[in-house]
Amino acid sequence: MNYARFLTATSAARKACVIRVVAGIMEKAPKSLIPLATGAPNPNTFPFKTAVITIEDGETIQLNEQMMKRALQYSQSAGIPELLSWLKQLQVNLHNPPTIHYPSSEGQMDICVTSGSQEGLCKVFEMIINPGDNILVNEPIYSGTIHALQPLGCNIINVASDEYGIIPNSLREILSKWKPEDSKNPEKNTPKFLYTVPNGNNPTGHSLTSNRKKEIYELARKYDFLIVEDDPYYFLQFNKPWEPTFLSIDVDGRVIRADSFSKVLSSGLRIGFITGPKFLIERLVLHTQVSTMHPSTFSQVLVSQLLHQWGQEGFLTHVERVTDFYRKQKDALLAAADKWLHGLAEWHVPTAGLFLWIKIKGIDDVRKLTEEKALKKEVLLVPGCGFYVDDSAPSPYFRASFSLASPEQMDVAFQRLAQLIKESL
Ligand SMILES: Cc1ncc(COP(=O)(O)O)c(C=O)c1O
């Protein structure tokens, strides 16, 4: 892989920041090293001294004075080492990436921690996209991605998808306007990457099948583009076994995978991680050195302590409990939809994630219905138009989340909505 050809001039120009390098040395240094180098504040002056945090089953995470000093201090830009090594092992066990044993110059798998996956994705986009570049997505897509992409001035090409994710033939047809060798000629402007949410897509709840993934990956090889696999709902898959990921079939080192702990541990701690070829991960870390410097050390220490305490098995047992909760929530929302919206609307059963994507029959644009009328009746929904690059285009869809409302509230909400739909027809 010629990774350099994917970089913007800004990303290519990034260099290691000397202060951050010194901070890295400090973290690994023996106690005998005399620290005259860094601008790190003296943690003895910090007002927070110790912490005991109660977790599930009444167990606790204890941060003694020494750990607290570390948790409140600057740390390495890629993430704290003990969290990174835990995450690396997780990725190896879950995805068995072919690139794990590749030489570092040839796409070896690497990881960095980010302040939520959103921050990582935003940096990935800024690393790759120049104004006018072609990139591929499947609408409807997560609005956070649209708003990260649009200001970069890229040309966003929509690939058709259905309830099984991206349709490979649609991708094939789009790509057929180029020849495979065009990727070697920058003037041909071949797509630089395909972005997709493979499990429980936000907003549709749809998941991409593994057979389609294989076809799409072969097209990525043929036309030499990267795949950005944004997978925050991976741990919230309702069916077993979990689908193989793009990372697990990535023999070239062309997949950049974004994971998130937001949906299973905490969204406010802001811990996500990006897995991908070392060359590109290094560029992201250089960006972090001069932007956030590093994800919160406190958040990382807390998450790392929890994960080490639980072990991988304990983490996956927790994930199972969370998924069971959302499975019941999903079933409750579907029951309410069957009861009140039958004949008025259409939907597919979500396979992962937090969302039900509903099409109202006979109404071309549900913006007014959801944004004004439903809100007046105290039901909060997101109109579908917000998940399209052209958000002014009418959409008969809306997104309902089954995360926070109780089954009783879901029932009341869809009863009110059904009434509003009937009045609007
Ligand atoms: C598809 C998708 N990507 C990324 C994110 C950002 O997640 P995080 O909290 O890890 O930044 C979200 C959040 O809802 C999402 O739905």
Side-chain angles (χ1 to χ4, degrees), residues 162-384:
D162 59 19
E163 69 267 36
Y164 307 109
I166 291 169
I167 300 169
N169 272 343
S170 166
L171 180 59
R172 199 168 281 118
E173 201 184 312
I174 288 167
L175 293 167
S176 68
K177 78 177 243 203
W178 288 282
K179 295 191 198 76
E181 60 272 24
D182 285 351
S183 63
K184 301 206 168 54
N185 180 354
E187 279 173 19
K188 299 285 182 183
N189 202 5
T190 54
K192 277 188 160 171
F193 65 80
L194 166 76
Y195 166 91
T196 195
V197 179
N199 291 296
N201 182 28
N202 179 357
T204 62
H206 301 158
S207 298
L208 181 61
T209 62
S210 55
N211 280 344
R212 286 189 179 186
K213 273 183 202 147
K214 283 183 208 144
E215 274 189 72
I216 292 165
Y217 190 81
E218 285 314 311
L219 288 168
R221 299 190 84 182
K222 187 169 168 188
Y223 291 92
D224 194 21
F225 57 85
L226 303 171
I227 293 176
V228 179
E229 176 172 54
D230 179 13
D231 209 356
Y233 305 103
Y234 176 76
F235 297 118
L236 298 185
Q237 295 182 62
F238 299 126
N239 305 318
K240 287 263 175 66
W242 287 349
E243 287 289 336
T245 57
F246 277 116
L247 185 66
S248 69
I249 56 171
D250 184 21
V251 286
D252 296 336
R254 63 175 67 251
V255 171
I256 303 171
R257 179 179 165 80
D259 277 282
S260 174
F261 280 149
S262 287
K263 317 297 171 178
V264 288
L265 295 185
S266 155
S267 43
L269 285 177
R270 307 304 300 131
I271 298 292
F273 45 109
I274 301 283
T275 309
K278 203 173 182 59
F279 182 95
L280 297 178
I281 296 293
E282 274 170 6
R283 293 286 111 194
L284 297 180
V285 174
L286 291 179
H287 191 169
T288 302
Q289 285 190 357
V290 293
S291 56
T292 52
M293 287 171 86
H294 56 78
S296 156
T297 320
F298 186 82
S299 292
Q300 291 186 76
V301 166
L302 197 60
V303 167
S304 176
Q305 285 290 116
L306 176 75
L307 295 174
H308 280 93
Q309 215 159 296
W310 272 349
Q312 198 169 292
E313 215 186 305
F315 168 68
L316 293 176
T317 305
H318 168 79
V319 162
E320 190 95 21
R321 271 197 297 271
V322 177
T323 311
D324 282 346
F325 169 79
Y326 286 118
R327 189 181 291 107
K328 286 193 193 108
Q329 290 285 100
K330 170 207 51 144
D331 290 343
L333 193 67
L334 286 170
D338 279 333
K339 183 170 160 192
W340 298 109
L341 302 181
H342 182 78
L344 297 173
E346 293 171 346
W347 57 88
H348 291 287
V349 174
T351 39
L354 304 177
F355 308 111
L356 182 62
W357 182 238
I358 298 183
K359 181 183 181 186
I360 298 183
K361 292 185 189 173
I363 300 180
D364 292 339
D365 192 2
V366 302
R367 196 191 295 245
K368 200 166 174 204
L369 182 79
T370 51
E371 279 182 346
E372 289 175 27
K373 295 182 182 172
L375 194 56
K376 255 192 210 144
K377 296 269 179 207
E378 293 195 300
V379 178
L380 189 57
L381 300 161
V382 189

Side-chain angles (χ1 to χ4, degrees), residues 5 62 69 71 76 89 104 122 144 187 198 214 228 258 354:
R5 84 166 183 86
Q62 316 229 2
K69 280 180 189 164
Q76 281 167 262
Q89 200 51 51
S104 59
C122 198
E187 279 173 19
K214 283 183 208 144
V228 179
L354 304 177

